[in-house]
Amino acid sequence: GRCRPPSSPGKAKPPSFVPPQGSTSPPRAREPGEEAQGAMASPPPARNPTEVQMSQLVLPCHTNHRGELSTGQLLKWIDTAACLSAERHAGCPCVTASMDDIYFEHTISVGQVVNIKAKVNRAFNSSMEVGIQVSYEDLCSGKHCSICKAYATFVAQGPLGSKVRLEPLIPQTEEEKIEHSIAAERRRMRLVHKDTLKDLLTRSPQQTELETRDGSGAVPAAKTRVESVELVLPPHANHQGNTFGGQIMAWMENVATIAASRLCHAHPTLRAIEMFHFRGPSQVGDRLVLKAIVNNAFKNSMEVGVSAEAYGQEMSVSRRHINSAFMTFVVLDQDGHPRTLPMLAPEPGDGERRYREASARKKIRLDRKYVVSCKQTEVPLSVPWDQSNKVYLSYNNVSALKMLVAKANWALAREKEKVRMYTLEEDKFLSFRIEISVGIAAGRAFSLLSNLERRHEWDSHYVSAELVQKVDDDDMIYHVVSQKLRHENKPQDFVILASRRKPCSMGDPYVVAFRSVTLPTHPARAEFTRGETLCSGFCIWPESEEMSKVAYYNQATPGYLNYVTTNVAGLSSDICSTFEACEKFLLKNKEDLISRMQDF
């Protein structure tokens, strides 16, 4: 079951902004203050038809005792804008299925304006990802500042709650193409979120170790416990009678704030909300029981667990679990710096379990925030590999390649027979793409090129590639030894994470992504020069049943830059020759496969 929050009055899908060929679009209404444009002026770019913009002036009724916008109110606005965007694409009612981590960077004061922009990034079968950007605007100074970025998943629903198959979304701009491509990776990460936590807890010590801290004794967790009930009334629900997801989140934030205040005896500030899923529906007339308790208090932050359960008028009917969430609070001093918090003494049994799980979630949040969310220039080339962050390193590996693929300013640099070489010049990186059409099925090419142990058969730079660790069916770690570079007296070696992905939907390529990682079992050795790769890999698009476009991408690191520029400038054809050898390798193995099938 899913929670069924906001639904907008208008359900019809808006018409396309681009008129069909041969037709004439009506004149566009002039915006306030807009001057008439000359006959030669180009029309403005088409706006994404799923995009929704919301601006709200923060009034005293929206704020807490400090005159700052209540986070619960902000969550209601975020959920409403995201749902309206989802319904624009679906053309029918949509319900909130989940929300990814949200990190709140700043508070918003009374009198300022909250600007929310939401648009659908990608539509899957019956669900879609909506990206939300929130900023505030100071009307007096004109200052704009980012508050948070969020991703929500919505499910389209037909009559009697049946699922609706969605039309695919076609991205137009470079930004939309990047978000569309990476949305599949975010979806994959959501599906394994629970398994990641379980795996980390399995490998962690089972005995609870309480932190020692100077100051007063630990506060019993039982003293932070809060329970509150809310009656769902028509203003809390949409026209279908389903409780707004944003309203449920606001009630949950309220009880979580009370629990956090009971620990620190101060007014806490919400800094982050953990990824959560709605598990069931709630309607007008339901009683929602909201429970909260502090799970763990770290030095400068605390995690509060909060749950929502629903029941009707009949008390004999068991309560329905609607949602659980984990919220991170801090207490700020007068200078805006986090204060040291009191220690927490967890309750025996379940309390100790929640205490351990809070520590595991903190590690996972840090992994997600600093591995997944960082820009490539902010991440070290070789990230330490750890079993607990494997999901996020794999996500970062594939999403970095997809972002590179979606860039718009690739320029053709060289063309040698069937091989085409493109370059992309950015502030800090020079990247190249080399592609060729090969007479082989895309799935077969994907299988051959994702196996680094066979790369030496076509790439003369590779001496060997040893499979060090098979993480799962889609991720492997290799120790690679390559030839000596010019002006080097030792061969290079690499420790490489290879992540492979099959197409998520029609039009997606097969992807094989590479990036360097650090393994304690394979430190740098004296006989090698340790090399690193930041972002490289293959994308393979099927052109027909027996024809594929194979493209290799590489974001050149400093040690590799001279080799790349020499080939781009035409002083060497080594890269083109290597890719021609790749084509021969693929065709040879295709013929070998056909021969074995005929023999069989």
Side-chain angles (χ1 to χ4, degrees):
R2 305 286 188 182
C3 181
R4 295 170 169 80
S7 227
S8 66
K11 296 294 178 290
K13 186 181 289 187
S16 172
F17 285 89
V18 181
Q21 291 184 354
S23 67
T24 303
S25 61
R28 182 174 64 89
R30 192 176 301 170
E31 299 291 338
E34 180 182 352
E35 297 295 333
Q37 295 183 347
M40 298 302 292
S42 59
R47 181 172 165 182
N48 187 318
T50 72
E51 183 177 307
V52 169
Q53 294 185 5
M54 176 187 289
S55 293
Q56 297 281 358
L57 180 64
V58 179
L59 302 174
C61 61
H62 301 140
T63 62
N64 56 26
H65 67 286
R66 296 191 297 266
E68 297 170 349
L69 175 64
S70 161
T71 309
Q73 180 62 60
L74 178 59
L75 290 170
K76 287 198 285 187
W77 288 339
I78 288 173
D79 184 67
T80 301
C83 185
L84 291 173
S85 174
E87 290 184 346
R88 277 196 170 186
H89 180 69
C92 63
C94 294
V95 298
T96 312
S98 68
M99 187 79 74
D100 287 5
D101 297 354
I102 305 177
Y103 297 94
F104 299 98
E105 300 176 21
H106 301 282
T107 56
I108 308 171
S109 301
V110 65
Q112 294 178 331
V113 173
V114 178
N115 294 313
I116 302 173
K117 183 168 71 173
K119 58 183 176 181
V120 177
N121 290 332
R122 182 163 185 161
F124 300 97
N125 290 330
S126 61
S127 67
M128 67 201 97
E129 180 192 273
V130 179
I132 309 113
Q133 292 180 322
V134 184
S135 62
Y136 80 78
E137 174 186 359
D138 191 298
L139 295 177
C140 296
S141 66
K143 177 183 177 182
H144 291 256
C145 192
S146 174
I147 297 299
C148 65
K149 187 174 183 178
Y151 296 100
T153 301
F154 283 81
V155 175
Q157 289 200 326
L160 303 177
S162 60
K163 290 186 177 180
V164 175
R165 188 172 184 85
L166 296 169
E167 293 291 329
L169 182 74
I170 301 176
Q172 300 296 328
T173 67
E174 178 180 322
E175 177 190 358
E176 290 173 1
K177 289 176 182 177
I178 290 173
E179 291 289 358
H180 180 272
S181 183
I182 301 178
E185 279 304 298
R186 284 191 289 261
R187 181 173 185 244
R188 186 176 188 271
M189 189 170 63
R190 291 179 199 115
L191 296 176
V192 300
H193 174 59
K194 288 184 180 179
D195 293 335
T196 303
L197 179 63
K198 289 178 182 178
D199 184 61
L200 181 57
L201 289 170
T202 301
R203 293 180 291 102
S204 300
Q206 295 300 306
Q207 186 175 0
T208 302
E209 296 183 7
L210 298 180
E211 182 183 351
T212 58
R213 199 178 302 159
D214 295 336
S216 58
V219 176
K223 288 189 174 182
T224 70
R225 190 181 297 276
V226 181
E227 181 172 326
S228 181
V229 65
E230 297 283 354
L231 176 62
V232 181
L233 300 173
H236 303 141
N238 60 28
H239 61 281
Q240 294 178 309
N242 299 318
T243 315
F244 286 115
Q247 180 63 69
I248 296 175
M249 289 188 280
W251 283 334
M252 295 173 75
E253 186 267 341
N254 180 58
V255 295
T257 301
I258 296 172
S261 300
R262 288 180 175 176
L263 175 77
C264 59
H265 298 292
H267 298 290
T269 298
L270 181 62
R271 274 290 181 252
I273 300 178
E274 174 95 2
M275 181 190 301
F276 62 85
H277 300 261
F278 284 102
R279 302 184 182 184
S282 169
Q283 292 88 24
V284 170
D286 278 345
R287 283 72 170 164
L288 255 61
V289 178
L290 304 137
K291 299 179 180 179
I293 190 171
V294 178
N295 290 332
N296 200 334
F298 307 102
K299 184 173 182 180
N300 300 118
S301 66
M302 70 186 99
E303 182 196 272
V304 179
V306 56
S307 66
E309 298 175 331
Y311 67 92
Q313 292 181 343
E314 300 295 330
M315 285 295 295
S316 59
V317 179
S318 60
R319 295 178 179 179
R320 311 185 309 273
H321 187 189
I322 302 298
N323 190 12
S324 293
F326 302 97
M327 304 185 182
T328 302
F329 288 86
V330 297
V331 178
L332 303 177
D333 60 21
Q334 293 181 344
D335 297 323
H337 300 131
R339 281 171 35 186
T340 300
L341 299 175
M343 292 184 296
L344 183 82
E347 297 174 308
D350 282 347
E352 293 177 337
R353 173 185 57 80
R354 290 194 297 267
Y355 188 92
R356 290 194 304 271
E357 289 177 351
S359 297
R361 277 188 293 270
K362 182 178 182 181
K363 173 181 169 40
I364 291 172
R365 277 194 296 271
L366 292 172
D367 285 340
R368 277 205 298 267
K369 186 174 182 181
Y370 291 105
V371 175
V372 173
S373 303
C374 284
K375 298 177 182 177
Q376 290 301 300
T377 55
E378 298 170 354
V379 179
L381 291 183
S382 290
V383 178
W385 171 263
D386 183 78
Q387 188 70 14
S388 64
N389 68 2
K390 63 182 182 181
V391 173
Y392 313 115
L393 283 176
S394 176
Y395 168 93
N396 182 270
N397 190 19
V398 176
S399 62
L401 179 59
K402 287 185 172 183
M403 288 175 67
L404 188 62
V405 172
K407 296 285 187 180
N409 296 323
W410 290 96
L412 181 63
R414 292 189 66 187
E415 193 166 6
K416 182 185 176 186
E417 296 181 357
K418 295 188 295 182
V419 179
R420 298 170 297 279
M421 186 175 186
Y422 299 81
T423 57
L424 175 67
E425 297 183 39
E426 298 176 294
D427 290 341
K428 296 186 178 181
F429 294 107
L430 171 66
S431 304
F432 75 88
R433 173 180 106 219
I434 188 161
E435 65 183 32
I436 191 172
S437 292
V438 185
I440 186 173
R444 181 60 181 158
F446 169 70
S447 177
L448 290 167
L449 296 177
S450 61
N451 184 359
L452 282 185
E453 290 180 304
R454 299 196 64 179
R455 185 153 171 174
H456 70 278
E457 296 180 34
W458 59 270
D459 190 344
S460 60
H461 302 90
Y462 271 54
V463 175
S464 65
E466 173 196 3
L467 178 61
V468 175
Q469 183 177 342
K470 181 178 179 181
V471 182
D472 52 39
D473 290 339
D474 295 323
D475 296 278
M476 282 86 168
I477 300 178
Y478 294 89
H479 179 235
V480 174
V481 177
S482 71
Q483 301 283 2
K484 297 178 183 178
L485 287 178
R486 189 175 299 175
H487 308 305
E488 291 280 348
N489 56 5
K490 294 186 293 186
Q492 281 193 311
D493 75 331
F494 302 80
V495 178
I496 291 177
L497 169 65
S499 303
R500 38 182 270 160
R501 300 287 189 273
K502 293 181 179 179
C504 180
S505 58
M506 186 71 68
D508 286 355
Y510 290 84
V511 175
V512 187
F514 307 122
R515 73 155 299 143
S516 291
V517 293
T518 301
L519 274 181
T521 56
H522 287 71
R525 288 155 51 183
E527 61 267 34
F528 298 116
T529 299
R530 176 56 55 93
E532 294 182 312
T533 178
L534 175 60
C535 174
S536 62
F538 292 96
C539 284
I540 306 160
W541 287 269
E543 295 183 323
S544 66
E545 289 187 2
E546 290 299 326
M547 182 67 68
S548 305
K549 183 175 78 172
V550 179
Y552 176 74
Y553 295 79
N554 194 304
Q555 199 170 63
T557 52
Y560 196 54
L561 192 59
N562 182 59
Y563 173 74
V564 174
T565 54
T566 301
N567 279 265
V568 170
L571 301 176
S572 171
S573 297
D574 196 36
I575 292 180
C576 292
S577 299
T578 300
F579 221 59
E580 288 170 349
C582 177
E583 179 194 19
K584 293 177 182 177
F585 166 78
L586 293 174
L587 294 175
K588 176 181 181 297
N589 282 275
K590 170 193 172 183
E591 293 168 359
D592 290 347
L593 177 64
I594 293 173
S595 299
R596 288 196 298 270
M597 292 176 66
Q598 290 174 342
D599 292 341
F600 178 77

